[in-house]
Amino acid sequence: MTYDRRNHGASQTSQQGLRIARHGQDLYELITHLQLTNVNLVGHSMGAATIWAYLSLWYDQNVSHIITIDESPKTISENDWQYGLLGLTWENYANGVREIETTRMTRHKIKSDIKIAIGKEYRPFDFELNLPLLRDHTAQDWRDVIKMTHTPQLFIAGSDSPLWSADHAKAAQKLNTKYIEAITIDGAGHMPYIEFPDLFNQYMLDFFKTKSQ
């Protein structure tokens, strides 16, 4: 199953809860409401941060596996982390996040049938409304959460991501080598699941299968 986070897709639009922590709590409340256990969580971009926010609040409760897609656990570059978003620093991040809106996210040609399917379901993301959320998102550092997790997690990065170096995945793996794995999909941008869907799906299914044995 999938769901649209608040202010995303078909979900209700609200000026409240424009923080990643709230999104993590939303995920917890959804899992609790549906009485789900042993959940496999897959999050792309800010969706990955939503998963880490969940872990920071509720640890590994009811979570079996995690896959995060082209998302660095720290989006602002500093001396100890050089994999930040669009070269953001503490000095420029408040306005720098606006560049996301005009950044082309894919690098590889997308199949026509996938384009048609996306076009039918596409609902524009309101950047102005969600600017506080984007700023809160980019200010987070989830490395401590990754270090403490006992849930198997796979980082999937695009080698040609327009947002950051794919090396962020390997760097994240070093934070917790017992539970974290990292894969880079060659030629992919920020959306490898629509650029290379067959390869992405195979990586995803193999991860769930091998880590469940």
Side-chain angles (χ1 to χ4, degrees), residues 16-212:
Q16 297 180 333
L18 299 181
R19 292 179 175 84
I20 288 297
R22 179 66 250 186
H23 283 226
Q25 180 65 17
D26 287 344
L27 177 58
Y28 167 79
E29 292 176 5
L30 176 64
I31 290 173
T32 302
H33 176 72
L34 297 176
Q35 298 181 330
L36 302 177
T37 59
N38 297 318
V39 178
N40 294 327
L41 295 176
V42 180
H44 167 247
S45 195
M46 200 190 305
T50 296
I51 295 173
W52 297 326
Y54 174 98
L55 295 180
S56 73
L57 294 168
W58 298 100
Y59 196 51
D60 298 311
Q61 185 173 327
N62 294 321
V63 180
S64 178
H65 303 81
I66 296 169
I67 295 179
T68 56
I69 307 161
D70 206 57
E71 178 71 15
S72 172
K74 179 172 167 43
T75 57
I76 292 182
S77 296
E78 293 187 280
N79 291 336
D80 64 343
W81 190 260
Q82 297 299 314
Y83 314 106
L85 169 68
L86 297 171
L88 292 188
T89 66
W90 287 113
E91 289 72 29
N92 66 17
Y93 89 95
N95 290 318
V97 295
R98 292 179 179 273
E99 294 182 32
I100 298 173
E101 184 175 8
T102 56
T103 299
R104 181 180 177 183
M105 296 298 177
T106 58
R107 297 299 197 214
H108 192 270
K109 185 177 180 180
I110 301 173
K111 294 180 179 178
S112 58
D113 58 333
I114 295 179
K115 282 185 177 181
I116 293 172
I118 292 174
K120 290 180 179 179
E121 298 295 329
Y122 177 72
R123 298 178 179 90
F125 178 75
D126 190 332
F127 273 85
E128 286 302 318
L129 173 64
N130 289 289
L131 192 57
L133 173 65
L134 291 168
R135 287 170 173 162
D136 179 77
H137 165 51
T138 56
Q140 303 304 316
D141 182 351
W142 302 108
R143 290 177 295 175
D144 62 319
V145 175
I146 291 169
K147 288 178 181 178
M148 65 84 175
T149 186
H150 290 172
T151 299
Q153 178 175 343
L154 175 64
F155 276 74
I156 298 180
S159 69
D160 297 335
S161 174
L163 300 184
W164 30 50
S165 166
D167 291 339
H168 77 266
K170 291 293 185 182
Q173 182 181 26
K174 292 178 181 178
L175 298 173
N176 187 341
T177 56
K178 185 175 182 180
Y179 292 100
I180 306 297
E181 297 183 13
I183 289 174
T184 298
I185 296 182
D186 188 40
H190 186 52
M191 299 179 175
Y193 54 92
I194 63 172
E195 296 174 271
F196 296 91
D198 295 336
L199 181 60
F200 174 86
N201 288 339
Q202 192 61 59
Y203 281 138
M204 179 175 63
L205 294 174
D206 286 348
F207 176 72
F208 289 150
K209 180 179 178 179
T210 57
K211 291 302 177 180
S212 296

